[in-house]
Amino acid sequence: MVLEPIQVGSVTLDPVLVLLGLLGFAALALLVLVVIVAVHMSRRRREAHESDAQLAELKVRLRTLAEISVSRHGELARAVNERLDRMTHRVGSDLTETARKTTDSIAKLHERLAVIDSAQKNLTDLSSLIRAMRDSDPDEVYNLGAVSFVAYSWENAPLTTDVTGKGVLNMLEAVRLHSADDLGRIRFYQASSSEMFGKVQEVPQRETTLLWPRSPYGVSKVFGHYMTINYRESYGMHASSGILFNHESPRRGPEFVTRKISQAVARIHLGTQKDIVLGNLDAERDWGFAGDYVEAMWLMLQQEQADDYVISTGETHSIREFLTLAFARVGIDEWEPYVRQDERFMRPAEVDQLIGDAAKARAALGWEPRVSFPELVAMMVDADVEAQKAGW
Ligand code: G4F
């Protein structure tokens, strides 16, 4: 093919030279583009590296918090842990911003935990609890500390016994010693649990129901429960025990079944997870809203006389029912294709059904649960959908 010369005004251009010029220009543009992309990627890598360093530092700080996770501030430590966990799913400069925000919130938590954290308080260490009493000189003590994941208690029964069981005795001793001659001065709350009913001997379960725990966790809680009663009867201490049935909220740890489901449902709804693997779907629990239950705990310590109370909704629902409501909340009516069962999540001994009778708490404390089961499921799923959308 013969190329005609190109005429631009009075100038005649050689077509081959024009073509070569255009190719040269394109190559130069490509080179500039490659350099820009390389610089950008190197900056992203540097940012990611900085974020990794921040993450590493955060994890060290988190370990400090984890050390006190057996204390009554365990919930806060878990909240930070969860935030950090979510953070590791973020990438690039976004992570830097997230890391900064998390550092800020950890710093705030540290301020709030200063007294407890500074002396490394620990439920297995009586002397540290005595120091905690001396430092804070409290009017009320709420012992929520425990190895609280029932499934884990089989993996480490001795640790569970030391923290969840003997830890209660240590707290009671610390309170008793600090109270000196005025043994009713400090009001003490022990977080007992419906797990103590285990292989239930009566339906519904109440304060007088025979206890038959089915896990090292349940056995440890029975020890703490009776030790609380014993200190009340032996020393006249204002020591109350709340036998709380399962209490849930969007802040529940993701290892527990309700939150595991609400988080998975949110991810399945948004297309970032394909299914969920669970254990026994037939177990039934009396699930209430944690906020309502905390109010009951506080009410117990405002009474003239210390006592023991069952705190429950009086309704029981299976894991299947929870699944049905949770999936329906995001418009999925048939949940079966999204759920698999695996032996890994089955327990050596199961608590098949729990349902509590909170008549005593209703009458003596004027306590009522406010959030219904469908409202609780909706609250948890909605919170997780929002959290997932926000990238947490
Ligand atoms: O959510 P869960 O792990 O709670 P669990 O064992 O009832 O204990 C919780 O409530 C107690 C109050 O009664 C507290 F004392 C205790 O600290 C904790 O807060 O399991 C609930 C049910 C169980 O029957 C379990 O076998 O759900 C069943 N389940 C089925 N699949 C599962 C799973 N549980 C978990 N955690 N993970 C599963 O995949």
Side-chain angles (χ1 to χ4, degrees):
M1 187 177 84
V2 180
L3 294 172
E4 295 288 329
I6 301 168
Q7 193 68 40
V8 181
S10 58
V11 183
T12 307
L13 299 174
D14 182 335
V16 177
L17 285 180
V18 168
L19 197 61
L20 284 176
L22 284 174
L23 283 175
F25 180 75
L28 192 67
L30 193 64
L31 189 68
V32 170
L33 194 68
V34 167
V35 169
I36 289 173
V37 169
V39 168
H40 181 69
M41 282 178 69
S42 130
R43 204 172 60 215
R44 292 290 292 250
R45 261 200 304 276
R46 201 175 58 244
E47 281 172 354
H49 180 72
E50 282 166 7
S51 303
D52 280 352
Q54 279 173 300
L55 264 183
E57 192 201 323
L58 286 173
K59 279 180 176 160
V60 171
R61 298 174 74 173
L62 183 68
R63 265 201 293 278
T64 317
L65 276 173
E67 278 174 24
I68 56 162
S69 67
V70 291
S71 77
R72 59 199 161 128
H73 290 291
E75 184 65 26
L76 290 176
R78 182 176 321 116
V80 176
N81 202 348
E82 221 180 283
R83 291 192 85 185
L84 204 70
D85 193 36
R86 291 188 204 126
M87 233 174 72
T88 54
H89 292 107
R90 310 287 299 259
V91 287
S93 53
D94 233 11
L95 179 55
T96 316
E97 174 60 11
T98 315
R100 193 187 58 69
K101 281 191 193 144
T102 307
T103 313
D104 290 350
S105 55
I106 288 182
K108 281 190 196 119
L109 285 176
H110 267 277
E111 276 166 31
R112 289 167 65 187
L113 299 177
V115 177
I116 302 293
D117 199 18
S118 60
Q120 304 274 312
K121 311 299 188 291
N122 186 321
L123 275 179
T124 63
D125 173 6
L126 174 58
S127 65
S128 75
L129 300 178
I130 293 173
R131 283 200 306 281
M133 291 298 129
R134 194 192 55 207
D135 293 350
S136 55
D137 191 24
D139 298 316
E140 296 178 359
V141 172
Y142 295 81
N143 179 36
L144 312 186
V147 171
S148 66
F149 187 37
V150 176
Y152 176 75
S153 73
W154 277 280
E155 283 174 40
N156 202 336
L159 176 70
T160 306
T161 307
D162 283 348
V163 177
T164 310
K166 219 179 131 212
V168 185
L169 173 59
N170 288 336
M171 281 301 309
L172 285 161
E173 268 299 275
V175 171
R176 184 178 75 84
L177 293 171
H178 187 72
S179 306
D181 293 338
D182 187 2
L183 283 162
R185 177 167 77 87
I186 301 174
R187 298 187 170 190
F188 177 79
Y189 171 85
Q190 167 56 19
S192 286
S193 161
S194 57
E195 268 296 302
M196 300 191 305
F197 295 119
K199 190 172 170 185
V200 299
Q201 301 297 299
E202 187 181 16
V203 178
Q205 296 84 54
R206 42 182 73 92
E207 292 79 4
T208 50
T209 302
L210 180 70
L211 305 177
W212 197 302
R214 295 268 282 170
S215 61
Y217 170 86
V219 173
S220 305
K221 281 288 180 186
V222 171
F223 175 87
H225 180 68
Y226 280 122
M227 204 47 96
T228 303
I229 295 172
N230 183 258
Y231 268 57
R232 182 169 74 221
E233 294 180 352
S234 304
Y235 301 112
M237 281 170 58
H238 195 292
S240 294
S241 185
I243 308 173
L244 268 53
F245 282 61
N246 297 49
H247 38 291
E248 319 291 317
S249 86
R251 301 179 71 187
R252 185 57 136 155
E255 68 273 30
F256 296 91
V257 76
T258 52
R259 184 74 198 292
K260 187 172 170 181
I261 293 173
S262 64
Q263 213 169 48
V265 166
R267 289 182 182 146
I268 289 168
H269 171 58
L270 297 170
T272 56
Q273 183 171 326
K274 77 178 175 17
D275 57 13
I276 171 171
V277 187
L278 295 170
N280 178 14
L281 304 185
D282 297 313
E284 294 177 342
R285 290 290 182 274
D286 182 332
W287 279 297
F289 172 54
D292 288 344
Y293 288 40
V294 169
E295 192 190 354
M297 286 160 40
W298 177 81
L299 281 169
M300 283 178 220
L301 295 207
Q302 311 317 306
Q303 306 307 305
E304 210 41 58
Q305 298 298 323
D307 209 336
D308 309 314
Y309 300 92
V310 158
I311 302 297
S312 64
T313 69
E315 278 181 32
T316 193
H317 299 276
S318 65
I319 316 291
R320 288 178 196 281
E321 287 174 77
F322 195 101
L323 283 164
T324 303
L325 290 185
F327 274 98
R329 186 73 186 167
V330 296
I332 299 174
D333 292 331
E334 298 288 322
W335 53 261
E336 284 82 356
Y338 298 99
V339 176
R340 286 189 289 127
Q341 280 181 280
D342 194 301
E343 276 296 317
R344 272 184 303 141
F345 298 108
M346 304 287 184
R347 297 181 179 180
E350 179 63 283
V351 172
D352 295 320
Q353 190 204 53
L354 290 174
I355 176 166
D357 174 4
K360 181 175 168 183
R362 287 172 198 265
L365 309 177
W367 177 82
E368 288 285 341
R370 295 198 186 96
V371 178
S372 71
F373 178 63
E375 285 167 347
L376 177 64
V377 180
M379 181 200 299
M380 292 182 73
V381 172
D382 291 354
D384 271 320
V385 169
E386 284 315 304
Q388 293 294 318
K389 278 186 184 163
W392 282 102

